[in-house]
Amino acid sequence: MANQNQIAVLHQGIDIGIDYWNKWREQNSRENIDLSGVRCAHANLSKVDFSDADLSEAELQGSNLVAANLRDAILTLANLSGANLTLATFRGVRFYMTNLSGANLSLANLSSVNLSLADLSGANLKGAMLHYANLTGANLSGADLSGADLSEAILWGVNLNGANLSDVVLCEADLSGANLRGANLTRANLSGTTLRRTDLNGARLTDAMLS
């Protein structure tokens, strides 16, 4: 159950500066942070410390979360659609059915993160680190993954319909049953990639490495 006192402190930090919240976290480092269901849509949360916080079902759509610390946070069923998550820290984050559609995750480090069933349609993942990430069943239709590192990622049944995968690294990744219809795979590195039952109808593979 959400801690209403903690939510009040967070909202105060949004009003006067997020450093207020971060300093409160430092002074109360032993408290379990439960912000489940918090409503902070379109808020300025740049560099916020949400590490180890329960943000399940949180409404953070359209918020500025540039360089946010989300390490080991719980984002189950959270709404982060349209949020700016550039350079955010995601190590150990628990995603499940998280809405990240239209979010900006460029240059974010999502290595080894479990994003199964997440909605990332139209998201900006340009240059993102997704090495070893689990994207099973995720929706990445229309997403920009150009230059991203998806080497050894698990992409079973992922929807990449119309996605921009130019210059992406997919070495040893598993795209079994994935939908890549109309995707742009120009100069993509697909060496060792598993493409069993993968739908590549209409995909652009110009200069792609398929060895």
Side-chain angles (χ1 to χ4, degrees), residues 6 11 31 42 59 62 69 83 113 133 151 187:
Q6 293 173 358
H11 280 295
E31 281 206 32
H42 307 288
E59 296 181 15
N69 182 3
V113 166
S151 52
R187 296 179 303 279

Side-chain angles (χ1 to χ4, degrees), residues 162-184:
N164 182 3
L165 294 158
S166 57
D167 299 297
V168 74
V169 179
L170 284 159
C171 299
E172 306 296 331
D174 192 340
L175 281 156
S176 297
N179 177 5
L180 285 153
R181 294 174 67 90
N184 180 5

Side-chain angles (χ1 to χ4, degrees), residues 32-202:
N32 292 323
I33 306 301
D34 190 343
L35 300 169
S36 52
V38 67
R39 296 181 179 180
C40 291
H42 307 288
N44 184 6
L45 296 162
S46 178
K47 297 182 181 178
V48 68
D49 183 3
F50 277 153
S51 58
D52 297 296
D54 185 349
L55 290 159
S56 54
E57 300 186 58
E59 296 181 15
L60 296 162
Q61 60 270 31
S63 291
N64 175 10
L65 286 152
V66 173
N69 182 3
L70 290 158
R71 184 168 180 158
D72 296 314
I74 301 171
L75 287 166
T76 301
L77 293 171
N79 185 356
L80 287 153
S81 58
N84 188 348
L85 290 149
T86 305
L87 298 175
T89 301
F90 289 98
R91 186 172 179 179
V93 170
R94 278 170 278 179
F95 290 101
Y96 181 72
M97 296 184 72
T98 307
N99 185 353
L100 287 154
S101 59
N104 184 353
L105 291 133
S106 60
L107 303 179
N109 189 341
L110 290 150
S111 300
S112 303
V113 166
N114 187 343
L115 280 158
S116 56
L117 299 179
D119 184 357
L120 287 145
S121 54
N124 179 358
L125 287 148
K126 193 171 183 177
M129 290 293 298
L130 288 151
H131 187 57
Y132 289 118
N134 183 351
L135 287 150
T136 300
N139 181 9
L140 284 150
S141 59
D144 185 357
L145 288 142
S146 54
D149 183 356
L150 284 153
S151 52
E152 299 183 72
I154 301 172
L155 298 152
W156 301 335
V158 68
N159 181 5
L160 286 157
N161 184 13
N164 182 3
L165 294 158
S166 57
D167 299 297
V168 74
V169 179
L170 284 159
C171 299
E172 306 296 331
D174 192 340
L175 281 156
S176 297
N179 177 5
L180 285 153
R181 294 174 67 90
N184 180 5
L185 288 151
T186 302
R187 296 179 303 279
N189 188 339
L190 294 157
S191 57
T193 305
T194 301
L195 296 166
R196 190 180 301 111
R197 299 184 305 279
T198 303
D199 187 350
L200 288 159
N201 187 36

